[in-house]
Amino acid sequence: MSKFIYFLIIYTLSVELCFSTGSLRGFVTDSTNGEAIVYANVYIESTQQGVATDTRGYYFIPSIPSGTQLVIVSCVGYKTKKNDIAIQNNKITELNVELIPTTFQIDDLYIYGQKSAENETNLGLEKIYAREIEILPTGIESDIFRVIQTSPGVSTTGDITSKYYVRGGGSDQNVVLLNGAPIYYPYHALGTMSVVDPEIINMLEFFKGGFTSQYGGRLSSILNIVTKDGNKNKFQGGAQASFLSGKLFLQGPIPNGSFFVTGRKSYFADVLKKYFNNKDAPFDFYDVTFKVSYSNQAIDKDSKFIVHGFASGDFVDYEDELKENYSIRNQIIGMTWDKVWSSPLFSHFELSYSGFQAEVIPNLSNSKPRSNQIVDITLKSDFAYVYDNKDEFGIGMENKYFGSKLNVLNLYGQRMNYDEWGWDLTIYSNYKFLRWEKIGFDIGVRAKLLAISKKRPFLLEPRFNFTYHPTALVSLKASVGRYSQEVLTLTDENELISIFEPWIIIPDYIEAPEATQFSAGLEMYITENMTFEIEGYYKLIDNLIDINRKKFSAKDNDYVNADGHSYGAEILLKFQPRDFFIKLSYALGWAYKVNGGKEYYPRYDVRHSANILFGINFGNGWQGNLMWTFNSGMPFTPIAGFYDRLDFPTLPPSLYSTNFIPVIFWGDKNSARLPVYHRLDISASKEFEIFITDITIGVNIINVYNKKNIFYFDRDTGEEVYMLPFFPSAFVKVEL
Amino acid sequence: MRIFLYILLLSILLISCEENFSPKTEFKEKYVLYCLVNADATWIQIQAFAWIANIYDVEGIDPNKKTIKPNIRGAKLTLFKKNFQYPFYEYSEVHTSQYDTLKNYFITNISNPSPDRDISIKAALTNGVVLSGKTSIPMNLNLEFSYTFASGFTTNINKFHHGYSWIIDWSGSFGEHDEHLFFTKIFINYYKQVGTDKIYGSVEVPIKIIQKNGQDIPVYPTYTYTHSISFDYDAFDWAMKQIAGNDPNKADYNIINLILSIDEFDLNLSKFYSSVNGYLDQFSIRIDERTYSNINGGIGIFGSYTSTMIDFEINKAYVESFGYKRY
């Protein structure tokens, strides 16, 4: 082992000393508003070296031969810029580039610089631009989770809920990060849509697996939402109205920085009636997001300081003591400090608070009182060093305080109280071998020194990613990693729609879940405007947490351990000729859960799923989109017969008047499949200008051919309950 | 490219065709046993009723369309208490239940099981299937009241000192963690003198009255796991007013008494009742939830319950303040 380390050091030094080279670094921003441009390509023509900017718009290219070099900077939707830059020997040259946006063309949508970052080791990462969210046919509101669900390997259990399941993992195995801080309940209106307003989004990074050592705490997926900084050049404001909600947004410059603030409020909840069994519920929700960026070169050179915040609330507030009320709230306040040091070192510090409160207030109804409070305070620091040979070394630390209070009365009237807190201290490191043209490695590890849950021992989570490029147009990738999770929701699979999904630290009497995931895939350019990806995975999950269905006494534990595994394959084809685009995805997957020695398919196990996304630009501001979704039938528990169940028409029960009612006798859990699900959504929009105002009007139609997709069978009557029917909606957006 | 679009649309249309689908799976024979033991307050002899049936299938998903009677006849049922055995006797008679299903039943009487309250049941069917279960009979409750009425129940008390509610606490045979279900009710019994006839009636007392749109809405007690209940004194006054309602001849009404009853389910029956009547909220959609069963070899419930009942006299002045007479 020591010989190997000596070899690495000597090899690294020798490479650094052999050539007369310098480095180039800087930020790429939008010339109109100063926003960071994520995943822009920065390319050295003579050496054919290239990198993509990160989520902050930052790039660094080492080992450029000294002398004048032509640097080409390009990104989808922007005019390509070329600069002659003098690279000095053993020095870092700075080049900040402002790109000028072009008129949005749909055919630009998927062109981005994967070719320039050929040995990136990011298997399982899907980069989603804000524009991709905008063009998708919307439901009642445009929604980031609808975009996520078009990704192969991501499934959902119905139209009604935005909850998503990644590669056979439970919904609480996914985390949604807003500028690095977790949102514990990222849904509005009982899960119908996301709390994150698409207006604020600059970029989404969606890791379906194989996430690097920087990320942890979840078994299945990471959705990292990077919000806009705000226009650095001028003030801009706007408003949007849909059938459900209205929103306002404002952005503009401040001295040495910019700000962005947006707020959304529901005003006409009637549209939600199609979604719920209770048609008269007075739903109400809001969300507010802000971000302030500050970068003063005189005070702190090459650094950026950001303060961001988010709050959302969902309420059902009957003015009737005989009915229950609900309230769900999220809050985030955070700050980050990014700095580019004089050496090729990049640092990132982050401090955030994320709070979550949910409560069911029964008043005088028969509802069960339930409440949950979460406090998450996270301090995170990352350092990345780029060597001249292009290798990267990263190290970081995450320190988290997590507190959870839960007070519930369950279906059987049993009271549960949890009041737990814990500290998590994790250090992580990774080394990216990017020095070779055709091969890239990313070797990393997360070491958990302190755990939130009392039963979690010291834990090492190794991560390994590999990329091989046999040709410039083809890359083969593989990854293996171990992942752990210590907080989870008490999700009951039998609740298709749930008003209350509390988060808790894993109780002491059960083991904390861990997962190992293997994946391998191929990416290739079939033609200049057609890309093809195929990826396979196998995920083994130990110690899943499941509801103890045999809890009928306060003495029984509320939760039990279960195991699970899943495997499958995913295909993604993107094709963008001149005036339209098509995205085709297909996934084949199997997911299993084992509880009490019995293996069964969880409800989110979808064998075949396919999506077709089609967009066309008609010109003159007209745009049309179509999305067709197909899923093979979800598992459900079939009817195995009927029996007459004892009923108490009077209380106390009289032996002489005791009654019986016929009810369903259910078969083995999830042993049958629903019919296939498919749905076609279309949308059209028109953008035009009146004086200084940009106006967009649009219409959406959900379930165009009114397919009766079965949602579930009523447990009392056995009758079919369907998902969303044919449903048209419209919106108008005004921007100043 | 157009060809591709045509193929796409055609595929969508083809797949859109509705298919036949059945939510049912293969039917398998299974048996249901229900046995309830009513340990009434006399504790001299208690009675056990039992029903046995099989699971059945129907065409479609409406069980009301069943054409066969699910009753099982000829089974040998025995109730065990320590070393004693009590055989059940089978009866058949027209049952007046809404669904007219289980017409025959089994009955046995057993002696007061106290202090050994654990009993078990065994049902041997003619085809060799054996169903069995165990339960523990609850004992009567010991009650405590926040206020005792020396000269009959009245709400004319010093509420500043004694509170605005009548609180009833109880203790019994349940352990600290045995969460039994309790059903509490208070009735005011009366009769109306119509000529020489007496028309008897009763009014249930709510736990409180709330105002909604300017109207009084009574809130009645539901089942509870707690060992306490509180009735607002205002609710008694409201119930008293309901007896005559708008009838101007209030003197025709004779108030007999006030009855407090508390029914206690044993652990098995409590779990069964909760699993059948469990209600989280009006939005959560639950599927294929199973009913609690403590029957080995099949499904069903073997449970017991006791009723504790107390009769209170009502204060004469209080009765007359409403224009009624005291019986």
Side-chain angles (χ1 to χ4, degrees):
Chain A
M1 186 65 193
S2 56
K3 282 182 181 175
F4 177 70
I5 293 168
Y6 290 140
F7 169 78
L8 276 180
I9 294 168
I10 291 165
Y11 181 83
T12 303
L13 289 172
S14 63
V15 169
E16 287 180 9
L17 294 172
C18 282
F19 302 102
S20 167
T21 60
S23 305
L24 183 69
R25 74 178 181 190
F27 289 89
V28 179
T29 54
D30 185 314
S31 66
T32 59
N33 56 26
E35 282 291 346
I37 300 177
V38 184
Y39 294 118
N41 306 310
V42 185
Y43 186 69
I44 309 295
E45 192 183 54
S46 65
T47 60
Q48 298 190 338
Q49 283 175 275
V51 294
T53 54
D54 66 10
T55 54
R56 293 163 283 252
Y58 176 72
Y59 72 94
F60 182 85
I61 307 175
S63 306
I64 305 170
S66 27
T68 302
Q69 298 286 354
L70 179 63
V71 180
I72 302 168
V73 183
S74 64
C75 187
V76 56
Y78 292 90
K79 285 182 182 167
T80 299
K81 203 164 191 176
K82 297 181 180 179
N83 294 281
D84 282 322
I85 296 295
I87 303 293
Q88 292 179 298
N89 188 25
N90 286 331
K91 288 201 171 169
I92 300 171
T93 305
E94 304 220 358
L95 175 65
N96 294 330
V97 181
E98 289 188 341
L99 294 183
I100 301 165
T102 57
T103 307
F104 171 61
Q105 293 294 318
I106 230 161
D107 50 331
D108 285 339
L109 192 72
Y110 292 112
I111 301 170
Y112 54 87
Q114 288 178 325
K115 285 184 188 173
S116 63
E118 283 166 345
N119 52 0
E120 278 291 320
T121 51
N122 50 10
L123 185 68
L125 169 64
E126 187 164 350
K127 301 158 188 170
I128 301 165
Y129 294 87
R131 288 170 179 163
E132 195 169 344
I133 303 167
E134 288 170 10
I135 58 139
L136 199 70
T138 59
I140 43 175
E141 295 273 316
S142 64
D143 188 359
I144 55 168
F145 293 147
R146 289 271 291 151
V147 182
I148 297 300
Q149 287 163 13
T150 65
S151 181
V154 179
S155 61
T156 178
T157 54
D159 295 343
I160 316 297
T161 173
S162 283
K163 262 192 219 169
Y164 58 96
Y165 303 85
V166 179
R167 292 181 171 176
S171 64
D172 62 349
Q173 294 171 15
N174 311 315
V175 66
V176 177
L177 300 173
L178 186 67
N179 294 315
I183 307 175
Y184 281 94
Y185 190 78
Y187 310 106
H188 272 316
L190 307 189
T192 52
M193 54 189 277
S194 156
V195 290
V196 179
D197 182 355
E199 196 70 46
I200 65 168
I201 294 172
N202 190 11
M203 175 75 196
L204 296 177
E205 287 184 315
F206 183 47
F207 294 89
K208 288 186 289 187
F211 35 95
T212 55
S213 57
Q214 281 172 295
Y215 296 103
R218 294 295 187 276
L219 301 182
S220 284
S221 83
I222 307 284
L223 177 62
N224 186 26
I225 301 169
V226 182
T227 62
K228 293 172 182 170
D229 283 353
N231 196 321
K232 292 182 175 64
N233 302 329
K234 62 174 183 176
F235 287 96
Q236 264 187 316
Q240 184 172 338
S242 72
F243 278 4
L244 178 63
S245 68
K247 73 178 169 195
L248 295 168
F249 55 91
L250 182 67
Q251 57 181 326
I254 57 170
N256 299 304
S258 61
F259 75 95
F260 192 104
V261 60
T262 177
R264 194 163 52 156
K265 173 86 174 68
S266 62
Y267 54 71
F268 189 62
D270 274 18
V271 71
L272 291 171
K273 286 180 176 177
K274 287 187 181 295
Y275 283 68
F276 300 114
N277 52 350
N278 187 311
K279 308 293 183 196
D280 303 317
F283 282 101
D284 189 18
F285 67 77
Y286 72 85
D287 56 69
V288 181
T289 313
F290 76 88
K291 189 174 181 182
V292 179
S293 305
Y294 183 80
S295 177
N296 189 333
Q297 298 301 309
I299 295 174
D300 191 8
K301 192 171 180 295
D302 294 332
S303 74
K304 185 155 86 172
F305 187 73
I306 288 172
V307 176
H308 62 95
F310 166 79
S312 73
D314 273 81
F315 311 97
V316 174
D317 193 2
Y318 287 102
E319 292 176 353
D320 185 345
E321 283 188 83
L322 296 176
K323 292 181 176 176
E324 64 269 39
N325 291 336
Y326 307 95
S327 106
I328 300 169
R329 289 184 172 90
N330 289 292
Q331 308 87 31
I332 288 175
I333 185 82
M335 59 187 79
T336 61
W337 177 51
D338 292 319
K339 184 169 175 65
V340 179
W341 300 84
S342 55
S343 61
L345 177 71
F346 189 92
S347 67
H348 171 78
F349 292 93
E350 186 179 309
L351 176 64
S352 67
Y353 161 86
S354 180
F356 166 71
Q357 303 87 36
E359 191 173 14
V360 177
I361 307 146
N363 295 324
L364 296 172
S365 74
N366 287 329
S367 295
K368 303 286 187 289
R370 290 168 283 170
S371 67
N372 180 220
Q373 292 100 42
I374 295 293
V375 171
D376 175 326
I377 299 169
T378 303
L379 175 65
K380 198 173 175 183
S381 55
D382 292 290
F383 297 90
Y385 185 85
V386 182
Y387 294 93
D388 283 347
N389 61 7
K390 294 204 293 182
D391 286 0
E392 287 179 29
F393 174 68
I395 189 164
M397 181 200 74
E398 187 173 355
N399 194 357
K400 184 188 285 284
Y401 167 84
F402 187 90
S404 166
K405 280 185 183 176
L406 174 68
N407 194 333
V408 300
L409 201 64
N410 76 3
L411 255 183
Y412 303 103
Q414 307 295 341
R415 184 166 292 284
M416 295 184 283
N417 287 302
Y418 287 106
D419 190 352
E420 299 282 338
W421 62 271
W423 285 97
D424 176 282
L425 177 60
T426 301
I427 56 170
Y428 48 87
S429 176
N430 70 320
Y431 193 95
K432 287 184 183 177
F433 290 90
L434 302 174
R435 64 186 67 179
W436 301 293
E437 191 181 337
K438 292 193 171 183
I439 291 177
F441 288 103
D442 184 341
I443 301 169
V445 67
R446 281 177 76 87
K448 196 174 276 290
L449 306 179
L450 284 174
I452 297 172
S453 63
K454 294 187 177 69
K455 259 195 134 175
R456 164 71 73 206
F458 171 78
L459 187 71
L460 282 177
E461 297 176 35
R463 313 279 169 85
F464 176 75
N465 286 276
F466 166 77
T467 304
Y468 171 63
H469 292 270
T471 74
L473 299 176
V474 176
S475 60
L476 297 166
K477 297 185 176 186
S479 81
V480 58
R482 188 139 180 87
Y483 310 92
S484 69
Q485 187 164 343
E486 292 186 272
V487 296
L488 42 82
T489 60
L490 302 182
T491 308
D492 185 345
E493 269 183 47
N494 283 347
E495 278 184 50
L496 287 186
I497 288 186
S498 175
I499 187 80
F500 186 74
E501 289 199 344
W503 284 90
I504 61 160
I505 297 171
I506 290 162
D508 296 344
Y509 54 81
I510 44 178
E511 302 292 331
E514 292 175 25
T516 305
Q517 187 173 159
F518 306 87
S519 52
L522 175 148
E523 291 178 22
M524 64 183 294
Y525 281 81
I526 297 172
T527 67
E528 192 61 32
N529 52 18
M530 182 183 284
T531 57
F532 173 79
E533 295 173 25
I534 183 167
E535 195 171 322
Y537 65 89
Y538 179 79
K539 186 156 62 177
L540 186 65
I541 307 174
D542 299 322
N543 308 324
L544 278 172
I545 311 297
D546 209 354
I547 301 281
N548 180 7
R549 300 191 191 286
K550 293 178 181 172
K551 179 186 172 71
F552 295 107
S553 159
K555 287 176 284 190
D556 300 330
N557 289 334
D558 300 305
Y559 305 99
V560 292
N561 275 126
D563 291 325
H565 63 281
S566 58
Y567 50 89
E570 299 156 3
I571 294 172
L572 182 64
L573 182 74
K574 293 173 182 173
F575 179 46
Q576 64 271 336
R578 210 166 53 85
D579 54 356
F580 63 91
F581 76 90
I582 293 174
K583 177 181 172 184
L584 304 173
S585 65
Y586 168 76
L588 173 67
W590 285 263
Y592 301 91
K593 262 176 123 172
V594 183
N595 187 351
K598 284 189 175 177
E599 187 175 77
Y600 67 94
Y601 301 113
R603 186 155 169 97
Y604 47 81
D605 172 50
V606 178
R607 189 71 62 248
H608 305 275
S609 63
N611 284 287
I612 299 171
L613 185 58
F614 174 74
I616 185 162
N617 192 345
F618 297 107
N620 293 325
W622 283 98
Q623 189 172 303
N625 301 292
L626 170 155
M627 191 172 82
W628 186 68
T629 306
F630 172 90
N631 290 323
S632 58
M634 286 184 295
F636 79 102
T637 305
I639 298 169
F642 304 89
Y643 69 102
D644 291 349
R645 190 181 70 201
L646 185 66
D647 187 39
F648 303 115
T650 60
L651 286 168
S654 162
L655 296 180
Y656 295 95
S657 65
T658 297
N659 207 354
F660 292 87
I661 54 170
V663 294
I664 293 167
F665 179 70
W666 297 100
D668 292 335
K669 186 173 177 61
N670 291 349
S671 57
R673 295 267 168 181
L674 291 172
V676 295
Y677 166 101
H678 51 90
R679 192 180 103 181
L680 176 68
D681 299 345
I682 58 172
S683 70
S685 63
K686 163 74 177 166
E687 194 177 336
F688 54 94
E689 269 185 38
I690 297 180
F691 301 112
I692 56 167
T693 310
D694 291 330
I695 298 176
T696 308
I697 55 171
V699 292
N700 298 292
I701 301 175
I702 293 175
N703 201 354
V704 173
Y705 50 83
N706 200 24
K707 168 76 167 66
K708 286 188 170 179
N709 293 304
I710 297 175
F711 186 24
Y712 63 95
F713 290 97
D714 189 294
R715 69 173 181 150
D716 295 323
T717 64
E719 288 178 358
E720 297 168 358
V721 178
Y722 298 107
M723 298 198 212
L724 283 180
F726 172 83
F727 180 45
S729 63
F731 70 91
V732 59
K733 182 179 176 183
V734 179
E735 220 170 330
L736 289 169
Chain B
M1 193 62 216
R2 282 183 181 173
I3 291 173
F4 175 80
L5 289 175
Y6 290 145
I7 292 170
L8 175 66
L9 289 172
L10 191 64
S11 305
I12 290 170
L13 287 173
L14 285 174
I15 296 171
S16 306
C17 298
E18 301 299 329
E19 62 270 62
N20 290 324
F21 172 73
S22 170
K24 293 164 72 174
T25 187
E26 186 185 354
F27 175 75
K28 287 178 185 168
E29 193 79 7
K30 210 167 179 77
Y31 297 92
V32 190
L33 167 65
Y34 289 111
C35 181
L36 289 185
V37 178
N38 177 14
D40 68 20
T42 63
W43 286 98
I44 296 167
Q45 205 167 53
I46 60 176
Q47 200 166 47
F49 272 58
W51 301 264
I52 305 178
N54 58 4
I55 290 175
Y56 52 86
D57 198 8
V58 298
E59 197 172 320
I61 57 167
D62 182 2
N64 293 302
K65 290 179 179 170
K66 67 174 174 287
T67 53
I68 56 157
K69 303 296 179 192
N71 300 66
I72 297 291
R73 292 167 183 262
K76 300 288 182 196
L77 273 72
T78 311
L79 206 143
F80 299 88
K81 189 198 82 175
K82 263 203 154 180
N83 299 324
F84 297 95
Q85 295 185 13
Y86 302 90
F88 282 77
Y89 300 95
E90 186 170 358
Y91 292 85
S92 285
E93 62 181 48
V94 175
H95 195 275
T96 55
S97 79
Q98 181 188 353
Y99 295 97
D100 191 25
T101 51
L102 299 172
K103 283 186 176 174
N104 67 312
Y105 51 91
F106 302 83
I107 296 180
T108 190
N109 294 314
I110 60 173
S111 60
N112 179 359
S114 182
D116 302 310
R117 294 176 293 117
D118 295 339
I119 54 175
S120 58
I121 190 172
K122 182 180 172 186
L125 277 58
T126 52
N127 61 1
V129 172
V130 175
L131 308 173
S132 62
K134 289 180 181 175
T135 191
S136 185
I137 299 173
M139 291 172 69
N140 272 8
L141 301 174
N142 301 313
L143 304 182
E144 285 184 23
F145 303 95
S146 63
Y147 188 86
T148 49
F149 302 93
S151 55
F153 179 88
T154 177
T155 63
N156 296 320
I157 61 171
N158 186 338
K159 297 190 178 78
F160 184 74
H161 278 107
H162 303 295
Y164 290 84
S165 305
W166 195 31
I167 300 166
I168 303 158
D169 299 310
W170 55 85
S171 57
S173 61
F174 41 82
E176 189 184 348
H177 298 295
D178 291 341
E179 302 202 8
H180 290 188
L181 269 182
F182 299 93
F183 300 83
T184 307
K185 285 187 186 299
I186 294 180
F187 288 95
I188 300 170
N189 291 321
Y190 67 92
Y191 69 84
K192 183 183 179 186
Q193 190 74 47
V194 182
T196 55
D197 295 332
K198 291 177 178 173
I199 301 169
Y200 288 89
S202 66
V203 171
E204 184 179 356
V205 179
I207 52 172
K208 63 166 61 185
I209 304 295
I210 61 168
Q211 289 283 319
K212 188 180 174 186
N213 301 327
Q215 287 194 320
D216 289 341
I217 306 292
V219 180
Y220 292 99
T222 58
Y223 65 85
T224 174
Y225 284 89
T226 59
H227 307 152
S228 178
I229 194 164
S230 165
F231 288 83
D232 287 357
Y233 286 118
D234 289 348
F236 287 92
D237 295 342
W238 180 88
M240 284 292 281
K241 287 176 189 166
Q242 301 307 305
I243 290 172
N246 295 325
D247 189 345
N249 303 314
K250 299 201 187 304
D252 293 345
Y253 292 85
N254 293 266
I255 307 303
I256 303 170
N257 59 5
L258 184 146
I259 301 287
L260 163 69
S261 75
I262 304 176
D263 300 304
E264 179 186 2
F265 279 9
D266 75 343
L267 208 52
N268 297 320
L269 215 49
S270 298
K271 291 171 183 174
F272 172 77
Y273 189 88
S274 294
S275 67
V276 170
N277 296 281
Y279 175 82
L280 272 177
D281 53 66
Q282 55 179 316
F283 293 99
S284 299
I285 295 174
R286 300 177 63 77
I287 50 173
D288 61 89
E289 192 63 32
R290 284 156 203 272
T291 304
Y292 175 76
S293 165
N294 68 335
I295 299 300
N296 300 317
I299 60 170
I301 198 76
F302 176 42
S304 56
Y305 63 94
T306 60
S307 299
T308 301
M309 201 172 287
I310 297 183
D311 178 345
F312 291 89
E313 187 183 2
I314 303 183
N315 181 277
K316 188 168 184 286
Y318 179 63
V319 168
E320 289 172 355
S321 69
F322 293 91
Y324 307 142
K325 292 177 186 167
R326 192 173 73 165
Y327 171 68

